Amino acid sequence: MKQVKDFRIIETRHYNNMYSRLRLRPADSSELPEDIRPGQFVQVAVETPGVFLRRPISINDVDYSANTIDILVRKAGKGTEALLSMKENDTVNILLPLGNGFTTEGDVICGRLLLIGGGVGVAPLLYLGRALKDNGAKPEFLLGARSKGDLLQVAEFEKIGHVHLSTEDGSVGEKGFVTTNSVLDEKIDMIYCCGPSPMMKAVASIALKKGIRCEVSLENMMACGLGACLCCVEDTVKGNVCVCTEGPVFNIEMLNWK
């Protein structure tokens, strides 16, 4: 069930000058929604001049025992800059949970699972990996970035499963894009992917050629998060659909990317 509530920032971690993780807890001490799924997102209200719309941000992690939710924020404009300038104990208003998430149960998680993320696209994969592990799977991660300093949350991912790395400059892991990482030459049964659109389309192409089931989380521009504004429309085999309500997670067979 969707909720709108104030959250208090209880911890901020800055990974570099572009990316930070905010850990949030309901300001009124109420419990988090019970049905938050990996791959869903939130809409954050930002109170700053010139910013009128909520900002959509992927759910990075959820800890029900601590009653906290994490979001990974990339500094991209006035809204996110204002959000990242907030201090611990400040409050933000959030609409959650929104969209549809990744598949985390059933026969598809019985094989070898590879979770691929590039840049801030790694954000939803942490909670996804944790959920898959809790359901008995053994997720592996393939994380990519321009250089070692741009990689995010590697230590957190390593606590969940084996991590493969790709950097464009070769400063750590294999040199090149995630699509050229040698792990993709091995047998993979299921791929989950989030990152820049060109990267996801390249991963989808590989998955289609090899007959690997693949789900991707799209990052189309969103305004309302509720399917009303139609600015996040994606062309699918069912016609144009709103990513915020029908996604953001799609099986690649549903997308006209072929």
Side-chain angles (χ1 to χ4, degrees), residues 137-157:
K138 295 181 179 180
E140 298 179 42
F141 303 93
L142 171 54
L143 311 179
R146 290 187 178 89
S147 65
K148 180 179 180 179
D150 297 316
L151 288 166
L152 302 170
Q153 301 186 308
V154 175
E156 288 93 323
F157 283 107

Side-chain angles (χ1 to χ4, degrees), residues 3 48 54 60 70 86 89-90 117 119-120 125 127 130 139 150 166 184 193 214 233 237 244-245 247:
Q3 298 183 13
T48 192
R54 289 176 180 264
N60 181 219
D70 293 355
M86 298 181 73
N89 291 319
D90 286 348
V120 76
L125 303 185
Y127 185 34
R130 203 180 304 284
D150 297 316
S166 285
L184 288 172
C193 184
C214 179
V233 166
V237 296
C244 65
T245 54

Side-chain angles (χ1 to χ4, degrees), residues 133-186:
K133 185 176 181 179
D134 289 344
N135 287 341
K138 295 181 179 180
E140 298 179 42
F141 303 93
L142 171 54
L143 311 179
R146 290 187 178 89
S147 65
K148 180 179 180 179
D150 297 316
L151 288 166
L152 302 170
Q153 301 186 308
V154 175
E156 288 93 323
F157 283 107
E158 288 177 335
K159 295 175 183 178
I160 300 172
H162 184 70
V163 176
H164 309 268
L165 299 175
S166 285
T167 51
E168 294 177 32
D169 64 1
S171 53
V172 68
E174 296 186 18
K175 185 176 182 178
F177 301 115
V178 292
T179 49
T180 62
N181 193 286
S182 60
V183 70
L184 288 172
D185 295 327
E186 302 172 14

Side-chain angles (χ1 to χ4, degrees), residues 84-97:
L84 291 176
S85 70
M86 298 181 73
K87 305 293 190 297
E88 292 181 10
N89 291 319
D90 286 348
T91 59
V92 292
N93 186 265
I94 293 179
L95 171 62
L96 83 164

